[in-house]
Amino acid sequence: MNCTIKKNLLSEGKTKKIYTTNNPFEVLIHHTDNITALNGLKKNILQNKGVLNNEITALIFQFLNSCGIKTHFIQKINNREQLCHKVDMIALEFVVRNIVAGSMSKRLGVKEGVHLYNPIFEIFYKNDKLKDPLINDHHAVFLEILSYEELRIIYSMTSKINHFIKKYFLDKNIILVDFKIEFGKNYKNEILLSDEISPDTCRFWDKETMKKLDKDSFRMGSKEKVFDIYMDILKRLNVS
């Protein structure tokens, strides 16, 4: 029997709310129906999107836990909420690119769809006022966000995560083009994969048709097909 008790709102982001629980080392993460793009400049409400992202993230984090990746995820509590280890979030976003797309294509003038021989890792500094700028390892250390050793640990974890979930999705006829992940530190100062992995944070293409199966349809001007796209991802992940 689950004895978790939701208590006070701890923090609120663009698409999630974090609540304290009766356990000081655990939190409840509530997925809302907010959908955002362009660093939050574009916003809307998509009914039940939070339900889909909660389920999708739970499935992926359960899989990664089974692969030996340390994550903040403990269990799904209900259709919108997950019980997770409480962490202090690291103010960096780590982006993994397997195929050229999105901002990388625009920034480097490389045609979208070019496959990368080796995955490219990028770091973005989470700072709304600065619009989350692209930085490098030395910037992160200079800003005293992480040490070089901690970056080494995160890069090692990120490489393993990419290896595991690329195959996980490919088995569902989904190409993992790129994705964003975040990390936090628990009370033991251990680095854990945190936040979410969902069509909000990834670029997915259908293996056969190359159809985009993620938030790009919203970025490009419409939210009408987003729910069906997210539902398609969930249905594929639920097929064993």
Side-chain angles (χ1 to χ4, degrees), residues 1-237:
M1 181 177 177
N2 190 336
C3 297
T4 299
I5 300 173
K6 183 198 290 187
K7 299 181 77 174
N8 302 314
L9 181 65
L10 183 64
S11 63
E12 183 172 356
K14 296 183 180 77
T15 62
K16 292 182 289 296
K17 295 179 180 179
I18 314 297
Y19 292 90
T20 60
T21 70
N22 51 311
N23 184 329
F25 302 117
E26 296 176 354
V27 294
L28 277 178
I29 297 181
H30 177 97
H31 290 255
T32 71
D33 290 338
N34 297 336
I35 184 166
T36 68
L38 307 174
N39 286 329
L41 294 177
K42 186 173 184 180
K43 305 174 185 178
N44 215 317
I45 303 293
L46 182 63
Q47 188 174 3
N48 288 326
K49 191 208 76 158
V51 173
L52 298 182
N53 273 1
N54 183 46
E55 179 68 19
I56 290 168
T57 294
L59 289 169
I60 296 169
F61 272 60
Q62 286 169 356
F63 168 72
L64 288 172
N65 282 341
S66 75
C67 294
I69 300 295
K70 291 184 177 180
T71 82
H72 73 163
F73 179 82
I74 299 173
Q75 63 178 324
K76 191 178 81 165
I77 298 296
N78 54 48
N79 66 348
R80 285 189 181 272
E81 295 177 331
Q82 301 173 8
L83 181 66
C84 295
H85 297 291
K86 184 180 179 181
V87 298
D88 291 323
M89 293 300 292
I90 297 166
L92 298 173
E93 296 177 344
F94 292 83
V95 173
V96 181
R97 300 188 183 275
N98 297 308
I99 297 173
V100 176
S103 63
M104 181 179 177
S105 173
K106 297 173 184 175
R107 192 186 329 127
L108 301 182
V110 178
K111 185 178 179 181
E112 196 168 78
V114 173
H115 287 250
L116 299 167
Y117 182 73
N118 291 311
I120 291 178
F121 296 171
E122 296 176 341
I123 308 177
F124 292 84
Y125 178 31
K126 289 191 66 176
N127 186 308
D128 289 339
K129 292 182 180 178
L130 300 177
K131 298 181 180 179
D132 298 348
L134 175 66
I135 65 172
N136 62 34
D137 293 12
H138 305 299
H139 294 137
V141 174
F142 167 72
L143 291 169
E144 298 183 345
I145 299 172
L146 289 173
S147 68
Y148 287 112
E149 175 59 20
E150 288 171 328
L151 281 167
R152 185 194 66 77
I153 291 169
I154 286 178
Y155 283 135
S156 176
M157 291 178 68
T158 299
S159 181
K160 291 174 183 176
I161 291 164
N162 188 41
H163 170 76
F164 289 134
I165 64 174
K166 263 203 312 183
K167 185 179 186 305
Y168 175 75
F169 285 115
L170 199 58
D171 287 344
K172 318 290 185 181
N173 289 317
I174 300 168
I175 296 172
L176 181 60
V177 177
D178 58 39
F179 62 99
K180 171 190 74 71
I181 49 177
E182 298 184 34
F183 295 86
K185 295 180 182 179
N186 66 10
Y187 73 99
K188 297 178 182 178
N189 210 37
E190 296 172 316
I191 295 174
L192 307 181
L193 174 67
S194 305
D195 194 51
E196 68 177 297
I197 298 178
S198 73
D200 273 7
T201 63
C202 304
R203 277 193 177 87
F204 298 129
W205 293 350
D206 181 84
K207 181 182 175 183
E208 304 300 328
T209 66
M210 295 296 151
K211 174 186 174 183
K212 294 183 177 182
L213 302 173
D214 51 59
K215 199 168 63 173
D216 267 351
S217 60
F218 177 67
R219 290 188 184 98
M220 293 183 292
S222 172
K223 72 166 188 172
E224 303 308 318
K225 297 180 180 179
V226 175
F227 185 86
D228 291 340
I229 289 170
Y230 283 36
M231 179 60 80
D232 183 20
I233 292 291
L234 179 56
K235 287 178 178 178
R236 296 190 196 203
L237 297 188

